[in-house]
Amino acid sequence: MLILECPYCGVMADETDLHGGGEAHLKRYGPGSSDEDFQTYLFHRANPKGVHFERWRHVSGCGKWFHAARNTMTLEVYGTYSAQTYEPPKAIINAVKKKHPEWEGPNMGEAK
């Protein structure tokens, strides 16, 4: 079972207390954007095998959205952090690189 720590209230919550919100750090396009940019935003996701940055909501707790870095193959969690950040904190990047030196870094919402 996936267990994440809410960075706002500090509760260690299992996945039944949370709601997944998909990939984190996507560049959003609004009015005035091209059809191609909007299509990319709506439908193209990285969906990596391994390290992934995701959005989660603590629905059975404080109700706030946050980001989590985890491994999609092993469910290992590298850390959680505020949803109001534009990129993962250095401490989480370092934790991932410590476990996976070959990892090239976050793709920040760019579909491969």
Side-chain angles (χ1 to χ4, degrees):
M1 179 169 283
L2 184 62
I3 298 176
L4 300 172
E5 180 178 2
C6 176
Y8 298 103
C9 62
V11 171
M12 297 298 286
D14 67 50
E15 59 193 293
T16 62
D17 293 333
L18 305 167
H19 178 74
E23 188 173 350
H25 306 293
L26 293 175
K27 182 175 182 181
R28 289 165 172 79
Y29 293 94
S33 64
S34 71
D35 288 344
E36 186 177 325
D37 285 341
F38 194 61
Q39 177 184 354
T40 298
Y41 164 68
L42 286 177
F43 302 111
H44 297 189
R45 298 291 182 260
N47 197 20
K49 182 178 180 181
V51 178
H52 191 48
F53 295 87
E54 303 169 322
R55 299 179 68 224
W56 289 87
R57 183 169 179 249
H58 191 185
V59 292
S60 295
C62 65
K64 295 185 179 182
W65 285 95
F66 63 92
H67 291 166
R70 71 178 186 95
N71 190 310
T72 59
M73 293 174 21
T74 65
L75 297 184
E76 179 179 12
V77 177
Y78 304 106
T80 58
Y81 53 101
S82 167
Q84 285 72 38
T85 58
Y86 293 107
E87 58 187 44
K90 290 283 187 201
I92 290 180
I93 297 293
N94 292 339
V96 173
K97 286 186 176 182
K98 184 176 180 181
K99 294 271 187 161
H100 305 283
E102 75 287 354
W103 184 64
E104 296 179 9
N107 62 20
M108 304 306 289
E110 298 169 12
K112 289 187 176 180

